[in-house]
Amino acid sequence: MRIFVYGTLMSGLERATVLNNSQFLGAGTIQATLYNLGSYPCISEGSTRVVGEIYEVDDTTLQELDMIEGYDEESPETSLYCRRQVTAIMADSNAQLLLETYYYNLTVENGELIESGDYRKYLEV
């Protein structure tokens, strides 16, 4: 399965090692709104270009990602994040890819909007 990551799972960030056994397909973007929640980011519905990385993951890695993101396939309504299908645009080719990513399942109350849509750039400021 293809997964789009936009926060702490991106290469060089604190949870990137989870994807060590996954195939990196490239950088890309999706349409959403990106927020910083303190120690990690989240996305919600929106029209900002969110920058991230695309990976091909196996079932074991997907289960690990679901656990990290607090996603329970049996009970999505009580999950912290929900895995949803989206279309990503590959940075190198502008090709469109259907894949999944994790949307925040709660109301973003105290999150700081990341206007650039790029969590890595946000951390550098």
Side-chain angles (χ1 to χ4, degrees):
M1 170 180 287
R2 286 179 279 211
I3 289 286
F4 179 86
V5 297
Y6 52 83
T8 60
L9 291 162
M10 289 193 297
S11 60
L13 300 182
E14 53 270 34
R15 290 196 165 142
T17 56
V18 172
L19 295 165
N20 280 353
N21 297 322
S22 301
Q23 182 184 0
F24 176 67
L25 300 178
T29 60
I30 63 168
Q31 295 295 120
T33 300
L34 181 66
Y35 296 92
N36 178 34
L37 296 178
S39 55
Y40 55 88
C42 75
I43 58 171
S44 65
E45 288 292 329
S47 58
T48 305
R49 192 175 65 100
V50 174
V51 175
E53 297 173 349
I54 300 165
Y55 291 85
E56 184 73 40
V57 301
D58 60 20
D59 289 342
T60 302
T61 302
L62 185 61
Q63 288 176 351
E64 195 170 351
L65 292 171
D66 284 350
M67 188 182 74
I68 288 168
E69 302 295 356
Y71 173 63
D72 180 358
E73 203 167 11
E74 303 296 316
S75 182
E77 64 281 349
T78 62
S79 296
L80 182 60
Y81 285 79
C82 281
R83 188 165 22 96
R84 295 188 5 211
Q85 195 170 68
V86 296
T87 300
I89 307 296
M90 298 291 295
D92 61 352
S93 65
N94 282 335
Q96 294 187 6
L97 280 182
L98 203 54
L99 44 67
E100 292 192 356
T101 195
Y102 293 91
Y103 278 80
Y104 197 53
N105 202 30
L106 305 175
T107 303
V108 180
E109 294 176 3
N110 297 318
E112 179 185 352
L113 177 65
I114 301 175
E115 291 183 29
S116 70
D118 188 331
Y119 185 65
R120 191 185 308 278
K121 253 186 207 169
Y122 172 82
L123 291 177
E124 293 171 0
V125 174

